[in-house]
Amino acid sequence: MKRTNFLVAVFICFIALASCSSDNNEIDTEYPVIDVSAANAFPIQCSEIKRGQKITFRAKFTDNTALGSYSLDIHHNFDHHTHSTEVNNCVADPIKKPVNPLLYINSVTIANDQKSYEAVQEITIPADIDPGDYHFMIRLTDKEGWQTIKGLSIKIL
């Protein structure tokens, strides 16, 4: 009987140890990083874009464990609302009512658990939209769900 109890205790200890992972399962608490400081990054704060042209969005994304997705949102700022994350302000046009403003929203999944990603996306700016002040919002989410937002003020001419 003593031997059976001993074997049961050894078996329970073995199961308990086996269930512990040897991996370092630290919880990711770091936000991903949006970098628009490279020479070829576009747009940057106060960029000017012409209607009817194609632009190429470029930014570098990084994370300590794995990137998940990013989304781009371009919308008018004719009412001078703010969610810019930049410290310098751009010269704003007078407040006006939108007639035919641009609204662009697009999401992209970043595959393969990459820690670094060079985002390149071509965007057509329609020729018939209202010119003026716009926001170019970049939202970057890592695999754990942490999100970083960069709000840039741009002008469409």
Side-chain angles (χ1 to χ4, degrees), residues 5-17:
N5 288 341
F6 175 75
L7 290 174
V8 169
V10 168
F11 180 72
I12 290 172
C13 287
F14 176 76
I15 296 296
L17 287 173

Side-chain angles (χ1 to χ4, degrees), residues 105-125:
I105 300 173
N106 188 44
S107 296
V108 176
T109 299
I110 301 171
N112 303 325
D113 293 335
Q114 297 177 63
K115 290 184 178 184
S116 181
Y117 182 78
E118 298 285 335
V120 178
Q121 185 174 335
E122 193 172 86
I123 302 168
T124 299
I125 307 299

Side-chain angles (χ1 to χ4, degrees), residues 32-37 41 43-45 57-61 71-73 75 83-87 135-140 147-153:
V33 175
I34 300 168
D35 183 2
V36 293
S37 66
I44 58 173
Q45 181 74 349
F57 164 70
R58 292 181 189 276
K60 182 176 182 179
F61 302 145
S71 73
L72 303 178
D73 170 347
H75 62 271
H83 36 194
S84 177
T85 58
E86 302 303 290
V87 292
H135 284 142
F136 193 106
M137 303 295 296
I138 307 163
R139 288 178 176 85
L140 176 62
Q147 185 178 78
T148 298
I149 299 173
K150 182 165 283 293
L152 303 169
S153 295

Side-chain angles (χ1 to χ4, degrees), residues 36-92:
V36 293
S37 66
N40 68 343
F42 189 83
I44 58 173
Q45 181 74 349
C46 303
S47 287
E48 293 184 349
I49 300 167
K50 293 181 182 172
R51 293 180 292 170
Q53 77 177 65
K54 288 183 181 180
I55 63 167
T56 303
F57 164 70
R58 292 181 189 276
K60 182 176 182 179
F61 302 145
T62 56
D63 188 61
N64 63 317
T65 58
L67 294 164
S69 64
Y70 73 93
S71 73
L72 303 178
D73 170 347
I74 305 171
H75 62 271
H76 79 82
N77 186 23
F78 301 161
D79 59 359
H80 293 183
H81 69 273
T82 184
H83 36 194
S84 177
T85 58
E86 302 303 290
V87 292
N88 61 322
N89 292 322
C90 308
V91 176

